Amino acid sequence: MAITDFLAAADITSAINACKAKDSFSPKTFFKAVGLSKKTPPEIEGVFKILDQDKSGFIEQDELQLFLQNFAKGARPLTAAETRAFLLEGDSDGDGKIGWEEFSAMVKSS
């Protein structure tokens, strides 16, 4: 599966361009811009599975750092500060990673 199976390429490009500057990434703003917040739970789960590169059932810190690159080749990595903020915002149970339910709740609240 490709990310464009779930999200429009034009929305992805627009969202990536909106956070080109370092430390300008906001997960909720990005989810809204790519149209993810309007998707069904199965569609959101499909995106989650793409982001979960190691198929562990969680999105860990190293996967978060490369988050934007899952949406577009050549996109910048998240800064350490953006990665930490993303993890703090999404990790509701404090285990240091974002699970499917946490990701879904984060997307739906955007």
Side-chain angles (χ1 to χ4, degrees):
M1 290 260 157
I3 206 89
T4 52
D5 290 340
F6 303 102
L7 303 169
D11 291 341
I12 292 170
T13 300
S14 177
I16 293 288
N17 287 337
C19 60
K20 274 190 173 179
K22 288 185 188 249
D23 296 318
S24 65
F25 175 79
S26 162
K28 289 183 179 182
T29 301
F30 186 84
F31 294 149
K32 194 172 192 175
V34 295
L36 191 57
S37 56
K38 297 177 188 167
K39 298 298 180 180
T40 65
E43 291 168 320
I44 296 169
E45 185 175 15
V47 171
F48 176 84
K49 287 179 178 180
I50 291 169
L51 299 173
D52 177 19
Q53 296 274 305
D54 65 3
K55 307 300 177 213
S56 66
F58 298 93
I59 304 172
E60 292 94 3
Q61 187 167 342
D62 59 331
E63 292 167 324
L64 284 176
Q65 190 169 15
L66 303 176
F67 179 82
L68 295 176
Q69 295 170 359
N70 288 292
F71 290 86
K73 289 186 191 282
R76 71 175 179 86
L78 296 181
T79 65
E82 288 171 322
T83 303
R84 268 192 310 278
F86 195 166
L87 190 57
L88 284 172
E89 192 172 336
D91 179 21
S92 60
D93 62 9
D95 64 358
K97 52 195 173 188
I98 299 172
W100 154 242
E101 277 128 21
E102 293 166 313
F103 182 77
S104 179
M106 194 175 181
V107 168
K108 286 300 184 187
S109 71
S110 59

